[in-house]
Structures are given as structure tokens and as C-alpha cells.
Amino acid sequence: GSSSRRGLGRAASARKADTDVACSRGAAACGVPEVAVPSSEAIAKRSAAAIKCNEAIDRAALEGNAEKAGQLLLDFERAGGKADHRHYNSVIRAHAKCGNPVSAERWLRRMVNKGVPRTLGSYNMLLDAYAKTDDAEACERVLQHLIDDGMEANITS
């Protein structure tokens, strides 16, 4: 929850410079080895890189810098990293919090196009962002996508 994120915030701040540099320098800096068949060590390095990059994305999102959060995700993917729902949800949340539901929805579509499974949270953040702009039509569209994705709306939706 949010209390665990606050606790992680202090630890993440201590690694801020390392993480931002690692994410912006590509595969080698993120620890993503360039091998045909990944060893268990390579998989562990990739996992560590994914965690570091997600921390940087989260930090940018918490700072209200949605563009930076998105750029970090793009850099990570271009470097060969495999983003998951946590990476995308962080960017969606950043755009939603900055009052830009259209950009948040573009990131959700990218998530779909990349084959990354959406979560109920992915849709709820987008619904909240559109609700704050009083765009009932967009809310209905997003809700229909949520249902089409095999999910059930909850009290937050």
C-alpha cells in the first residue's frame, strides 16, 4: 500500500542517481545482458534492472513528472528490458495525477499493444482521471474496455 511506498521512498532516494543513470544508458547500464539464451544469472540481472527502473519511474511519477516517467519506461524497453504492469501502471498513474487522462489512456493502449496484462488498477486510475474532468463518455468507454478485458468493476471503478 501507500505506507510501504513511503518506506521505500527513503531507500529509493538513496539510489536515485544510480537508477536514473542506469535507466538512461541502455541495456548494459541497466544490467540487461545481450545473450541468446539467458542464464539464471542473466535473469537475476534483468530482474534487478527492472526493479531499479521501476523505482526511477515511480520516483518521477511521485515528483509529478509524467513525461520523465514515460521516457524512463521507453528507454528501459529500448534497452531490451521487459516492462510489466507495474512499470506501465506507474506511468499511467503519473499522467492521471497530472490531470492528463488522454496521455494516461495512450499508455494503457501501449500496454495492450505490448501484450502486458492490465490490472483493475490500470483501469481505475484512468477512470478516476477522466471522472475528475467530468468526461462521462470517456469513463463509459474505459469501463467497457475493463469489462471486455474480462474484469469486473469494483467499488472504486
Side-chain angles (χ1 to χ4, degrees):
S2 65
S3 63
S4 65
R5 279 193 187 271
R6 278 186 289 243
L8 289 175
R10 282 185 226 103
S13 294
R15 296 184 305 270
K16 180 180 187 329
D18 271 354
T19 305
D20 288 347
V21 170
C23 286
S24 65
R25 286 193 186 152
C30 281
V32 180
E34 296 179 20
V35 294
V37 179
S39 65
S40 59
E41 182 180 322
I43 292 169
K45 283 183 180 179
R46 246 183 278 179
S47 295
I51 291 167
K52 280 183 142 184
C53 286
N54 200 47
E55 288 172 353
I57 292 167
D58 274 344
R59 192 172 36 264
L62 291 171
E63 293 168 354
N65 193 338
E67 294 305 317
K68 180 179 179 182
Q71 190 59 53
L72 287 166
L73 176 53
L74 290 174
D75 291 347
F76 178 63
E77 288 181 331
R78 285 186 191 119
K82 182 156 175 50
D84 63 19
H85 71 278
R86 291 176 294 259
H87 295 92
Y88 277 92
N89 282 352
S90 292
V91 175
I92 291 168
R93 181 177 52 251
H95 283 276
K97 280 185 154 192
C98 290
N100 194 343
V102 173
S103 289
E105 188 167 8
R106 272 197 301 267
W107 281 99
L108 183 72
R109 279 195 307 270
R110 181 177 173 82
M111 195 176 182
V112 170
N113 293 337
K114 290 283 190 174
V116 177
R118 276 76 55 217
T119 65
L120 190 55
S122 308
Y123 288 105
N124 283 343
M125 288 182 282
L126 191 53
L127 284 166
D128 184 55
Y130 275 124
K132 288 178 180 172
T133 65
D134 292 324
D135 190 340
E137 195 173 297
C139 287
E140 288 177 22
R141 182 183 67 248
V142 171
L143 190 56
Q144 186 59 54
H145 288 304
L146 178 152
I147 293 165
D148 292 346
D149 222 359
M151 294 181 206
E152 290 186 29
N154 63 13
I155 190 108
T156 306
S157 307

